[in-house]
Amino acid sequence: MDFQLTEDQRALRAGVRELLEGRYGREALRASLDSADGGDPAGVVDRELWRELGEAGFFALRLPEGGPDGGVGLGPAEAVLVFEEAGRVLLPGPLVATHLAAGVVPGAAQGTAVVTAFDLGGPFVAYLGESDAVLGADGAGAEGAAGAGAVPVRSVDPLTPLYRTAGAPGAVSGALRDEGALLTAALQLGSALRTTELAVRYAKEREQFGQPIGGFQAVKHLCAQMLVRGEVARTAVYAAAVTGAPGEIAGAKLLADEAAVRNARDCLQVHGGMGFTWEADVHLHLKRAWVRAEQWRTAAEAEELLAAELAAEAAAEAGGLGG
């Protein structure tokens, strides 16, 4: 099986990177932070950018071509490339839920509607106050009802506002949950690769004792470990996108969560005290990685699924030997 990207896939990734770098660069990220810090969570989700993403096919990527929602006709392999780029720039908003709602909730495919989902377990939901609909357990969208009685709660990530609802309609399950976990793993992968780049760049620029800190063995090791985690996660996410097997997706989510969280922590170490300041972006990657690790499929849930699959395989092999 060939896992090399095709020319079309490389072009798609380059096009999305160019779009996001132009529309959601560091200045836009800081503007979102200012909105959130000023008590205006509505400014976290840029509705104009959301529509531009819709026009570019971000949300309708996997819908059939020629349909009423303007589907692009691509598959999961292309979707993970697109979401990887969104993870690199820390693009806020319920990207995964809106993507899954395309073709189901009116306006989701075009980016005129923002759709969230109960992907955190329990009564908590992200971006509820900024969304037009909630993707329910049955895969359909519910407008307004899920938000009744919801109250904002403190979020570790300033660009992921959280709400506690009075009554959850049930978390998304089945195939949609696997798809959500795969796309969230792609977001985590993008963040892990970006923090590796940030660490390497800073290690080349920052000097101590008359030489770049990247020349010190301890810093080299940190950067090398970050690269290995990112590449292992990349392989797992791309493979899961091709096979679509629940066990493969669970493994990819585990590896991508670990890469995103640990790479952000190591990036903080490379930056030293500078990394802990508000001016640096490193801490934002770590906070977003913490939240995403709890979305769609947690580490404990992924481990349970993998253990169940291994147990089933062992039982099948034992049965075959006994026969």
Side-chain angles (χ1 to χ4, degrees), residues 186-208:
L187 291 171
Q188 294 281 58
L189 170 62
S191 178
L193 297 176
R194 179 58 181 158
T195 49
T196 303
E197 294 171 358
L198 291 173
V200 171
R201 187 177 69 187
Y202 190 77
K204 289 179 178 178
E205 295 173 350
R206 174 69 169 151
E207 292 189 2
Q208 282 188 334

Side-chain angles (χ1 to χ4, degrees), residues 216-307:
F216 300 123
Q217 194 171 45
V219 177
K220 285 182 183 177
H221 283 179
L222 281 176
C223 293
Q225 288 165 352
M226 293 172 69
L227 178 63
V228 170
R229 283 190 215 106
E231 291 304 317
V232 169
R234 188 206 297 268
T235 303
V237 171
Y238 288 5
V242 172
T243 66
E248 299 269 0
I249 292 174
K253 180 69 163 47
L254 269 174
L255 290 168
D257 285 345
E258 181 189 25
V261 171
R262 294 188 63 185
N263 279 16
R265 285 177 170 161
D266 284 352
C267 189
L268 279 170
Q269 291 297 317
V270 172
H271 278 71
M274 180 65 189
F276 290 85
T277 65
W278 190 252
E279 286 73 20
D281 295 340
V282 186
H283 66 98
L284 298 174
H285 280 275
L286 179 57
K287 292 168 180 173
R288 188 72 60 84
W290 279 335
V291 174
R292 285 177 181 152
E294 299 299 319
Q295 290 180 301
W296 295 102
R297 195 178 293 287
T298 65
E301 292 166 345
E303 289 166 353
E304 287 290 337
L305 191 152
L306 288 171

Side-chain angles (χ1 to χ4, degrees), residues 55-79:
E55 291 170 0
F58 189 98
F59 301 116
L61 192 73
R62 293 184 302 143
L63 295 180
E65 279 186 292
D69 291 304
V72 182
L74 298 177
E78 287 77 19

Side-chain angles (χ1 to χ4, degrees), residues 29-44:
L29 174 64
R30 289 288 151 178
S32 299
L33 280 173
D34 291 340
S35 295
D37 194 40
D40 178 24
V44 171

